[in-house]
Structure formats: C-alpha cells, structure tokens
Amino acid sequence: MPIQPTQPTQPTQPTQPIQPFDALYDVAVFGGGLSGVACAVAGAQAGLRVLLAERRPLLGYEITSAFACQLGWPESPVGQRVYRALNAVRGLLADRVDPVVAEAVLDRLVELNGIDLLLYTQPTGLLHDPGGATAVTVGNKQGEQTLRARAFVDATDGAVLWRCAGGTVHDRAGCAHMSMSLYPAQGALALPRALQEAPAGISGIRLVPALRPGEVFVEWTVATTRVAEARLSLDAVVALVRSQVPQLADAAVAFASVEPLLTGACEVSNAQPGTRHPSVPNLLAAGDWAGPVQPLSNADRLTRGEVAASALLDAWPEILRPGQPARPTGPATVLREEHTDVLVVGGGTAGALATIAAGRQGARVTCLEASTFLGGMKTGSGQRYGGHGVPGGLQDEFHARVQQAQTFHSKEAPASQLHFETARLVLERMAGEAGAKVVYGTTAIGVQRDGNRVTGVYAATPTGRALFHAQVVIDCTGDADVARLAGAPYSVGRDVDGVVHAYSQVCYLLPPTGPSSCTNHDAGYCDPHDIVDLTRARREGVRQVWERFAPDGEGRRPLLTICPLLGLRQGPVILGDYQPDFLEGILPTHFEDCVGYSSAKYDCHSQDFANQQDAPILWVWLLGNRERGQGGEMPYRMMLPQGVEGMLVACRSASSTQECNYQFRTMRNQHRLGEAAGIAAALCAQRGTTPRQLDVSLVQAQLHKSGALGDHVRPGPVVPQRPLPELRDILASPHPKDAVWLLAHGNEEALALLHDAVRSDSAGARFWAAVALAWRQDPAAVPELIAAVNARIAERPDYTPRSRNMVPLWQSCIVMLGRVGDPAALPVLVDVLEDPTSNPDALIAAIRALGRIGDSRAIGPLERLLARDDLPRERLFQQTNPQSKWAASEDGLWQIELAAAEILARLGKPQPPVADKYLADPRIPVRRYASRVAQLPAG
C-alpha cells in the first residue's frame, strides 16, 4: 500500500462527510489501537460495513503515541499487510517502526478499506436487551450521541463496553512502558544495549536503534499506571543514560512518549480475543485485557484483532438480532462519581494554570483533560513560542521554570522557545505541588444542574461514564464545551459568513544538523464542536504533512513528529455578561472588574480580509498594523456565561466579539485568564458563593500579589494621543498611520481638520484624510476613494509598513466606499466587478460594498457576475514559515457566489440555485453560509 508524497496541482477537493449517527453498521469497533484497527480491516475485507471509533486523535497509539516502536513479522494476514505497507514507504528498519510513518499508513489503510472513522470519541454506555446490544452511547465534544450496529467489538484499552455490559473487570497495579528519542549520538553505539542500573521504581532501561542515523531510542518501565508518574520518570532516565553512555552525554531529548503504554492495568477473567460477552452475545472482546496479563508485542496485538474479527464472522448468523434494531433511548450508566471543590475541564493553555492557581489557594482541585498531558496548544500543537502578551503572574513562574529546566533536555534549544517535553514536565510538577488531581483521557459530555446552576459535569473516561461533582466549574475546553452543554448562548464564526479561523497541523522536522524546527501552514477550516469535521480535519492535516515530508527515495526522513493537537484557533464564542470588542483593545478602556491584561497583534490568518469587519480593514489592510500589539484590560464579566450560574469560562471561547477574539485567543492572554479563573473559583468554593456573586476585588487582590495586575505590567496605550496641530503635520508626513487612526476616532475639531486636509495640496494628506473620513461615514471621503479605485493604486502614497494580510490600497478603499454608503460609488464598484483582472478579494469587497449602498442598479451587474464561468477560484491559506514547502489551498468560488447571492436577495432578487448549489457542500462553513443565504427573505 504505497503512500507517495505528491505536490498538489490544484486546490484540495473535499469529500463528502460520513454520517455515523444516522447509520446502522454491521459492526462497530471501539478502540483504534492496533487490535482495533486489525479487527476493523479484517471485517471490512469480509464485506461488512464497519465503524471504528477511537478516543485519541490517531490510530495505533501503541506505536504512534506511546512510541513502542518494535514490530516483528505478524502471524495474521492483516498484520502482514501493515508490515508490508510500512516497508513500502521506508517506515521500517529491521523490526523498528517510524511512528510518524505508522500514523499515515494506518490512516490510509482504514480509508482504503472503506471504514468509517471517528476520532476523539469514546464509549460511555451499552444499550441492550436479552437479545443483545442495539447501540452504544459515545461521548465527545458534542456531548453524548448514539451509534447503532448489529455487532460490537470492545478493543478499548480500559474494557469500557465490557464494564458497561456488567462484565467483571479486574483493575490491577500494572506498569507503564515509556520511550524517548535522543539525538544526536556522538560516535558509534553497539545496540541494543541494556543498562544495569536504574532509579527506584524504574526498570528495563534499554537503548535500541532508530531509523534516523544518529538517533537512539531509550525504553524503560515504570512501576505505575498513572500518567503523571510515568512522565515524571523521564529526567531520571535521561540523567542515567548520559552518565553511562558517553556518546549520548550531549544528546537532546527529541521527543518522548505522549502517553505511557500500560500493561496489566485491567484484566477480564476467562476472556480471550473474540470471546463473546456472557450476557450480551453480539459484544466481543479484542483488547489487551482479553487474555492473560503478559507483555504483548505489537505483532500480537494485530493478530488479536484479526482473531476477534474471525470469531465475529464465525458467529455472525447466530449473534445477529433479527431485523433492524429500533433506535435506542435511555440514559447511559454512571460507573463512578467523584466530588471536588473546583473542577477544571480542560488542562490546556488556560486550564493548566487555572488548576495550579486554584490549588495554591487551598481548594481541592480536579482537572479533566482529554489528552495525556497538560499545556494544550502551548505543549501539544507545535506553537512553542511564549506567545504574545504582557509579563506578570503565574505565567512568569511557568516560563522561568521551563527556561531553567530545558537546557537539561536540549542544550541547543533557543531561549526564546519552549521545549515542549520540558513544558509538559514543568506543568505536571506544578500541578502536583499545588495538590491538584489530573484525570487524563477524559472529555466533558454533559452537565448536572440545580436550576440554572451547574453542580457537576458528566464525562467520558477511559473506563466509562463518570460524574464529577463540584462547587465551581471552570470551562477551559477551548471551545466552551461545558458552557454550551449548560445552555449558554454562543455564536460561531464571522458575522458575514460564519467562517471560523483556519486551523493548522504542525509537525517537527529534524534537519541533518542543528535542533528541530516546526512547520506552520494553515490546513483549512474546521468546526471543532462537530466531531465528524474534527476527525476530518485531523486526517486532512496528517495527509498534508505526509505530502510534504514523507521519507524520500534517498532514505532521508526529515519528519520527526506530528503534533498530537490540531492548531485550532477558534470555535464557538459564548455570550457573557460583557463582550469586549476590537476597538477597546486600541482605544484605552478601563474596567472596574479588570482581572488581566491582554496584548497581541491582530493575529488573523484569514486571507479573505474582504469578509472581515471595518475596524480591522482600517487597522490592518489600510494602516498596516497587523504585527502591532493591541489588547487592553480583560473584565471578569467576560468569563460569566449569560443565564448560567456556578461556572466560569476561561479559554479562547470566553465572551468577546469575533474581531476581538483574534488577539485575545493567544496563549499568554489565556494564561492570564486561567490564573484569574482559578483564584476566583477557589475563593467561591471557600465562601460558598457563585462566581457571579463573588466580590471581584478579592480576586484582584490575589492577582496583585502574584504580579498579574499592577502598573508594572499594565500595557500603555496602543496609539498615544497627540495634539491636533501635531496630527495635522503627521497626516502629511511619510508616517501618517497614527494620525489617521486618532483623527478617525476624534472629536468635532478632528473632523474639521479632516475636511481641510481632504482639500489640501498634499496627495498623501488628501488620501489619508479621506480614509479617516470614510471611517466616520462622511461623504466628503468619496471622491478621493473613487479616484484611488479607478487608478488601481497599488503603491502607498505615504509610508505604512507592509505585512501579511495587506493588499494594494485600492482594494481596501472599496470597503471604505461601502462603509460610507454613497450611491456615487456605484459605477466604480461595477467596474471592479466587470474587470477580468480583479482577484477574489476585490470582487468580494465590491459585492459587499454594493450591498451596503443598497442601490437596485447593482442587480444587473451582480447577476452578470454570477453568470460568468471565468471567476477566480483558488484560495491560498496562510503559510507562516518556509519549512511547509507550499501553502494549502481550496476552491474558493463559493465565497464569491454566495456573497453575490446574499446581496441580490437583500436587493429583492434571491438566487435559490446558487444557495442550493452549496447546501450539500462537504465543508461545514460553506453549508452554514449557504443555509443562511437560502433563508434570507427577498429585500
């Protein structure tokens, strides 16, 4: 099954999404480890319709996440097919597997066999009657859903379905196997090699060869099944290896197990691969727990999965329920309950610091984290820079401790970057020191309420459905999952078309010399609260990584790791008690309930800026301020979801406008919000009150103590005020942008100055005065802006710095003409529509400007535009650094056609065929916008 990298020659064409929650499968396999993959493939090859569900973002976690990378020749045909597929793309050396190659190969194997795949999804309950199981309830970011099948296979690592069916599962004190990659070795090493000494609780330290020259894998066993304890063993092993192996004395930790591989954590008596459940005959076993407790090889796991599939096929006529099962109803079983003071849901960028801050205030804290490490985007998405923001508070301690520790892991790691393995370890230690309990592999799927107060969270865990009771809940899921499940109002995407920010799938590369580097190119759009789309996005991201960096024909393998987290930049945004907006980050605004300061550039990756709001058009497109810091004060009220008590939202989905969210979402800003939320939640638990009732001054006092608040870290004004005479001179100078901004937002005297300037002899002063007047929607701006569009001004008449997201001035002038709304601009805008050289942004800007003017004379030109067959189609996504080789792209014709159909509907001439064309588009943002256009009333 060769998978060859090929440079794309046309935009990516999306495929139709699966519809797993409306389907009846022949067999549903739960658990996408090696056993589950082998079982699913064998079933599909036998002609069954198969669903495979996995809680992680990848398949074959034993190799691809735990990095147990040994694979001998399997006994089973499916296993042998996997082996050959790995070999065909240089994924094997002797019996060692390259984990990043394995991720791509396993995903492709599932695709080629027509298997429906759901990632980020785990079972929470089994619905059955005396005749057998009818369905499985699953949990993910959307809550709980139902998957139906005629037969079910439990290949989960925690025997979840077996537990739900009432089977006896023995939880044991097993052990954890860990791995890490050290690079480069200085000199030859005879491998494999076992180290005779080991720290307490650690055994079996072995050095084994890797596929990359100079790279050495180190494997060891820890006497625990706790993720935190297993991870914290890394430093002791690194120290021992360096002391005993001179060739590795200066080697860096390239990467380590994202999660430990557990052995003997649970066992089912009298179960073997393919054993049928004693009371649910169409439920079969396939996990590591199905059989005697013993170390299993990866080849054994592949064989176990195929054995389970054979048993299923042998028993097929006997286990099938007659007829199609009825759609099941009823609640899933809660297998365990826990109580805590503060429950933090999501241990990511904000959640890790919220957990630590609440624990330091003396509260009992439990953190639920869907992955197997703390830090989220900071430690798992590949964005290893500290991020935009201001110093101060708990984040400073975190960064300082990482800087102090990371030279131990990598002497060449730049001081400006965070070594992600170091950052995970530091957060693990800080959480432990704060007395917090972290529950990994766990996703919120529902809420318990008393009236409108959230009193607990239902969660899908590796061993089943659980209920975590809490006095206060902090939603740090990134997408406000808990708040949405509790009924909080929210919005999704941009005002004009509902599009959310682009996502990326970052990977790390290891050049022949020097430290690793990361890529960063936008992969497309993703709705993170739609589990089918989230699965598609991850698979698409991995495919793009493979296209660019697969091992080549000469044996070079630059691809080191694929980051376990998607670079999701935006999801739903809740509506809170206060909604900060874009202008408040530039025009200084003081909040009495300020709990932090945000600062970042306008970090919008959208390449279709014509669909953004007017403020960023002025700030970025015209004035060139994309890279300039903005921000301001963050009010406590933005964390309080409307209509919901007992919780705070501290993540990128906290209350803000779309345009504000682009700078607010960055990592340091989220650290600040997380710390404030953790302190507030602990104070609420101690006082028996809710976050909305809490005296915010108590939170502010603690933030002053930590250094998160105070004049020493308060950012100054983004654009300092200046006297009017000085602004008049600046407007005519080579550096006019601050004067334009201040005059656009100035008083009546500023308006008079602009009216004088727009008639001046200075071309620069006239133009920039027109821009400021257009912001004020003053018709005096129109003649100068029309002239700029007519002349197609590309160069700037005065200096403003160029940066990403900038276009020739005439294109941004189109938006300003629409803002003024003067019909005098109609001819020049029609000319843009009819100009065959106009690019997509110019066309979209002209369409939307015509819509704002609202003149019916635009109907004919817009209809002629829709009739053209030569409209530009390709939309390139942002490529942040050159390591990505080439930018991803999509067919962007939908943006032009739906915008034109929307404006025609508003002008009284709906275009149903245009909206209908996109209602079934595979891309969620496209379908959502098409649905919005289709529902517009004429006029």
Side-chain angles (χ1 to χ4, degrees):
M1 184 190 60
I3 306 176
Q4 298 297 338
T6 56
Q7 291 220 14
T9 57
Q10 60 184 7
T12 299
Q13 298 298 318
T15 57
Q16 286 295 330
I18 64 173
Q19 297 180 321
F21 305 108
D22 296 325
L24 173 64
Y25 292 93
D26 291 325
V27 60
V29 180
F30 291 90
L34 294 173
S35 297
V37 170
C39 181
V41 170
Q45 290 178 343
L48 301 182
R49 185 182 184 188
V50 181
L51 169 76
L52 178 60
E54 165 57 42
R55 65 180 172 89
R56 300 171 179 86
L58 43 71
L59 298 172
Y61 75 92
E62 299 94 340
I63 295 173
T64 58
S65 184
F67 302 141
C69 294
Q70 190 168 9
L71 179 65
W73 179 252
E75 296 180 1
S76 67
V78 170
Q80 292 167 10
R81 184 178 178 190
V82 171
Y83 189 98
R84 289 192 296 267
L86 289 167
N87 237 348
V89 290
R90 300 179 182 272
L92 279 169
L93 179 64
D95 64 349
R96 301 296 301 177
V97 183
D98 187 331
V100 291
V101 175
E103 181 171 352
V105 165
L106 292 175
D107 184 85
R108 181 63 172 159
L109 181 67
V110 166
E111 180 184 7
L112 289 175
N113 282 278
I115 297 166
D116 284 359
L117 175 63
L118 274 182
L119 300 174
Y120 310 98
T121 298
Q122 50 190 327
T124 57
L126 186 73
L127 302 179
H128 60 95
D129 57 29
T134 59
V136 167
T137 57
V138 295
N140 51 51
K141 289 173 68 66
Q142 286 182 258
E144 281 191 287
Q145 297 156 305
T146 300
L147 293 167
R148 298 182 300 141
R150 300 178 184 276
F152 303 87
V153 176
D154 188 348
T156 63
D157 35 311
V160 179
L161 292 180
W162 220 261
R163 296 173 193 265
C164 293
T168 302
V169 180
H170 306 283
D171 292 313
R172 302 184 182 279
C175 58
H177 298 279
M178 295 285 292
S179 297
M180 66 176 162
S181 162
L182 295 180
Y183 179 88
Q186 301 298 325
L189 270 170
L191 300 176
R193 173 179 173 180
L195 301 188
Q196 300 306 313
E197 300 178 17
I202 299 173
S203 62
I205 302 176
R206 296 177 68 247
L207 278 62
V208 296
L211 279 74
R212 187 177 287 102
E215 182 184 18
V216 176
F217 256 62
V218 182
E219 302 174 339
W220 69 97
T221 299
V222 189
T224 183
T225 55
R226 296 190 67 242
V227 172
E229 292 179 8
R231 174 166 291 117
L232 291 172
S233 68
L234 184 140
D235 281 358
V237 176
V238 171
L240 182 67
V241 170
R242 286 179 175 163
S243 68
Q244 294 194 11
V245 186
Q247 296 94 328
L248 297 174
D250 294 321
V253 178
F255 58 86
S257 298
V258 179
E259 61 179 308
L261 179 58
L262 304 182
T263 296
C266 67
E267 180 188 15
V268 176
S269 300
N270 302 318
Q272 299 293 330
T275 296
R276 290 157 59 185
H277 192 279
S279 58
V280 184
N282 60 343
L283 171 63
L284 288 81
D288 283 9
W289 42 269
V293 176
Q294 60 181 1
L296 291 175
S297 71
N298 287 326
D300 291 337
R301 293 185 174 95
L302 289 166
T303 300
R304 282 192 168 199
E306 194 156 2
V307 168
S310 296
L312 172 70
L313 293 168
D314 290 343
W316 189 249
E318 178 184 349
I319 65 174
L320 275 186
R321 291 167 53 93
Q324 180 171 322
R327 184 175 296 276
T329 58
T333 303
V334 175
L335 297 180
R336 80 171 194 268
E337 297 187 41
E338 294 188 17
H339 294 261
T340 189
D341 296 335
V342 175
L343 182 66
V344 181
V345 186
T349 312
L353 267 64
T355 299
I356 296 163
R360 289 184 176 184
Q361 291 292 317
R364 289 183 305 155
V365 186
T366 297
C367 175
L368 310 181
E369 168 53 37
S371 71
T372 51
F373 54 87
L374 293 173
M377 294 294 151
K378 178 86 75 165
T379 63
S381 74
Q383 304 306 315
R384 60 184 179 181
Y385 293 91
H388 308 283
V390 296
L394 185 55
Q395 64 168 344
D396 283 3
E397 179 187 341
F398 164 53
H399 288 147
R401 290 178 65 163
V402 172
Q403 292 294 338
Q404 182 180 10
Q406 71 182 17
T407 53
F408 175 71
H409 298 125
S410 177
K411 293 182 179 179
E412 296 185 7
S416 62
Q417 300 178 12
L418 299 180
H419 188 274
F420 55 89
E421 295 293 351
T422 309
R424 291 174 191 173
L425 285 167
V426 167
L427 288 173
E428 202 79 71
R429 292 193 181 101
M430 291 177 71
E433 292 163 4
K437 176 181 180 180
V438 182
V439 184
Y440 287 114
T442 299
T443 303
I445 57 174
V447 296
Q448 181 190 64
R449 283 181 290 193
D450 182 2
N452 67 343
R453 179 172 180 172
V454 174
T455 59
V457 170
Y458 292 97
T461 81
T463 54
R465 197 172 191 260
L467 173 59
F468 294 87
H469 302 271
Q471 296 184 55
V472 183
V473 175
I474 309 177
D475 186 341
C476 296
T477 58
D479 300 309
D481 296 338
V482 181
R484 290 187 298 106
L485 290 168
Y490 65 94
S491 63
V492 179
R494 292 187 302 212
D495 293 343
V496 297
D497 58 9
V499 169
V500 297
H501 210 310
Y503 79 96
S504 60
Q505 174 61 73
V506 176
C507 66
Y508 277 89
L509 308 176
L510 192 60
T513 59
S516 63
S517 62
C518 63
T519 68
N520 190 5
H521 69 270
D522 292 354
Y525 303 119
C526 171
D527 268 20
H529 65 303
D530 183 290
I531 204 63
V532 172
D533 202 52
L534 188 61
T535 298
R536 176 208 56 80
R538 170 69 181 190
R539 301 180 77 185
E540 170 66 16
V542 170
R543 183 192 64 79
Q544 291 183 15
V545 166
W546 181 260
E547 283 182 340
R548 290 159 173 80
F549 303 113
D552 64 19
E554 302 301 319
R556 290 182 292 262
R557 50 181 68 252
L559 185 54
L560 180 65
T561 60
I562 300 175
C563 294
L565 298 185
L566 282 179
L568 296 170
R569 296 183 174 89
Q570 188 183 42
V573 176
I574 65 139
L575 182 60
D577 287 1
Y578 190 84
Q579 193 174 29
D581 67 26
F582 175 85
L583 293 178
E584 290 171 347
I586 305 172
L587 305 173
T589 304
H590 172 64
F591 299 106
E592 291 297 328
D593 61 340
C594 171
V595 291
Y597 311 118
S598 71
S599 179
K601 63 184 179 182
Y602 185 70
D603 202 3
C604 174
H605 288 220
S606 299
Q607 302 302 289
D608 55 336
F609 237 63
N611 286 314
Q612 302 298 123
Q613 295 295 303
D614 290 347
I617 294 292
L618 175 61
W619 183 252
V620 176
W621 250 16
L622 280 156
L623 301 182
N625 282 323
R626 185 190 190 276
E627 307 301 317
R628 190 174 185 178
Q630 59 177 97
E633 297 186 354
M634 294 189 289
Y636 178 76
R637 288 164 292 162
M638 71 185 298
M639 295 191 289
L640 303 176
Q642 288 186 8
V644 180
E645 295 290 344
M647 71 175 304
L648 296 145
V649 177
C651 59
R652 64 173 178 256
S653 290
S655 182
S656 66
T657 63
Q658 172 79 11
E659 304 304 329
C660 173
N661 195 265
Y662 289 121
Q663 68 83 20
F664 160 71
R665 69 177 177 82
T666 57
M667 290 187 287
R668 281 183 182 265
N669 297 337
Q670 297 307 305
H671 287 328
R672 307 304 282 268
L673 209 62
E675 180 181 1
I679 292 171
L683 292 173
C684 287
Q686 291 161 4
R687 286 162 173 75
T689 189
T690 67
R692 190 170 270 107
Q693 297 166 343
L694 182 67
D695 181 354
V696 180
S697 66
L698 299 173
V699 182
Q700 292 169 327
Q702 295 300 317
L703 291 169
H704 277 284
K705 288 182 181 179
S706 78
L709 286 182
D711 291 339
H712 66 296
V713 291
R714 185 191 306 275
V718 177
V719 183
Q721 291 291 333
R722 294 181 174 88
L724 280 178
E726 187 177 337
L727 293 179
R728 179 184 294 107
D729 295 337
I730 295 173
L731 194 66
S733 77
H735 306 275
K737 64 177 184 178
D738 283 4
V740 175
W741 182 263
L742 292 170
L743 291 168
H745 297 90
N747 56 20
E748 291 303 310
E749 292 178 298
L751 179 61
L753 186 157
L754 290 171
H755 280 147
D756 289 341
V758 82
R759 298 188 296 269
S760 74
D761 295 332
S762 166
R766 287 199 310 273
F767 177 82
W768 291 112
V771 169
L773 286 167
W775 175 260
R776 303 175 74 126
Q777 298 178 294
D778 191 316
V782 170
E784 193 72 25
L785 297 179
I786 288 177
V789 176
N790 265 328
R792 300 296 194 266
I793 295 176
E795 297 302 320
R796 294 173 176 268
D798 298 287
Y799 173 80
T800 52
R802 290 194 174 274
S803 65
R804 288 178 292 182
N805 298 108
M806 292 182 68
V807 295
L809 276 178
W810 68 274
Q811 292 186 27
S812 26
C813 290
I814 295 172
V815 179
M816 291 293 106
L817 285 170
R819 180 176 175 85
V820 177
D822 191 331
L826 188 70
V828 73
L829 296 177
V830 170
D831 180 64
V832 172
L833 291 187
E834 296 175 346
D835 184 344
T837 66
S838 292
N839 65 20
D841 277 327
L843 293 174
I844 293 169
I847 292 166
R848 297 205 178 280
L850 289 168
R852 297 173 80 170
I853 293 170
D855 193 310
S856 62
R857 289 176 292 172
I859 292 175
L862 288 170
E863 289 179 327
R864 290 194 296 274
L865 179 79
L866 286 174
R868 285 172 52 183
D869 59 5
D870 64 340
L871 292 175
R873 306 178 71 100
E874 186 176 32
R875 170 68 71 184
L876 292 174
F877 293 107
Q878 178 170 300
Q879 181 174 330
T880 305
N881 55 30
Q883 288 92 336
S884 292
K885 290 192 175 183
W886 63 80
S889 65
E890 72 158 353
D891 185 340
L893 182 62
W894 65 276
Q895 294 184 312
I896 300 171
E897 292 190 334
L898 286 176
E902 176 190 347
I903 301 310
L904 282 168
R906 296 188 187 281
L907 292 173
K909 290 293 293 290
Q911 306 290 310
V914 177
D916 291 346
K917 174 182 175 181
Y918 293 106
L919 286 175
D921 193 279
R923 296 162 291 186
I924 287 180
V926 180
R927 295 201 304 272
R928 183 163 55 227
Y929 186 28
S931 177
R932 185 186 300 183
V933 171
Q935 295 172 25
L936 285 172

